Amino acid sequence: MANVFKAMGSLEILEVPQNGIKKDGMIALLDALKSNAQTLREVYLHDNWIKQEAIDRLVEFILRAESLERLNISDSTMGTNGACLLY
C-alpha cells in the first residue's frame, strides 16, 4: 500500500485505524505520506504502532503537511517521549 500511496502524490484523506500496522509498515506508510504532504487534509492512524523511527517520520510529515486539518494518532504506542516530540 505504501508504494501505491507514494506514487500517487495526491492523497487528500487517509484512514487506516486499528490495522495492527507495525514498525516496518508504519515507517513505509509515513514515508509515503511525506510524498503526499502537500495534498493531505485528514490522516487517521489511531490504534497502530508509532514508536522510534516512525515518530521521527511522523514529525517530518507534520512539518511538511501545510494543508493538514485533522490528524488522529490516539491509542498509538508512542508513549510520553514520542508525544513530547510532537508537542
Side-chain angles (χ1 to χ4, degrees), residues 16-21 45-49 72-76:
V16 288
Q18 300 177 321
N19 286 325
I21 301 171
L45 299 173
H46 52 287
D47 203 14
N48 282 300
W49 183 97
N72 188 342
I73 52 173
S74 66
D75 297 323
S76 67

Side-chain angles (χ1 to χ4, degrees), residues 9-86:
S10 61
L11 289 175
E12 291 185 25
I13 299 172
L14 179 70
E15 295 187 46
V16 288
Q18 300 177 321
N19 286 325
I21 301 171
K22 301 292 183 211
K23 180 181 179 178
D24 293 337
M26 188 56 71
I27 289 170
L29 180 59
L30 289 167
D31 281 340
L33 294 186
K34 288 190 296 186
S35 297
N36 290 272
Q38 298 301 315
T39 58
L40 273 163
R41 294 180 295 109
E42 299 179 25
V43 176
Y44 302 94
L45 299 173
H46 52 287
D47 203 14
N48 282 300
W49 183 97
I50 303 177
K51 284 188 174 184
Q52 300 160 357
E53 305 100 288
I55 293 171
D56 294 336
R57 285 172 172 83
L58 178 59
V59 169
E60 290 171 13
F61 162 68
I62 291 170
L63 292 173
R64 293 181 186 185
E66 296 174 9
S67 300
L68 190 63
E69 298 170 7
R70 290 185 180 95
L71 173 66
N72 188 342
I73 52 173
S74 66
D75 297 323
S76 67
T77 58
M78 71 176 56
T80 304
N81 291 339
C84 288
L85 286 173
L86 293 173

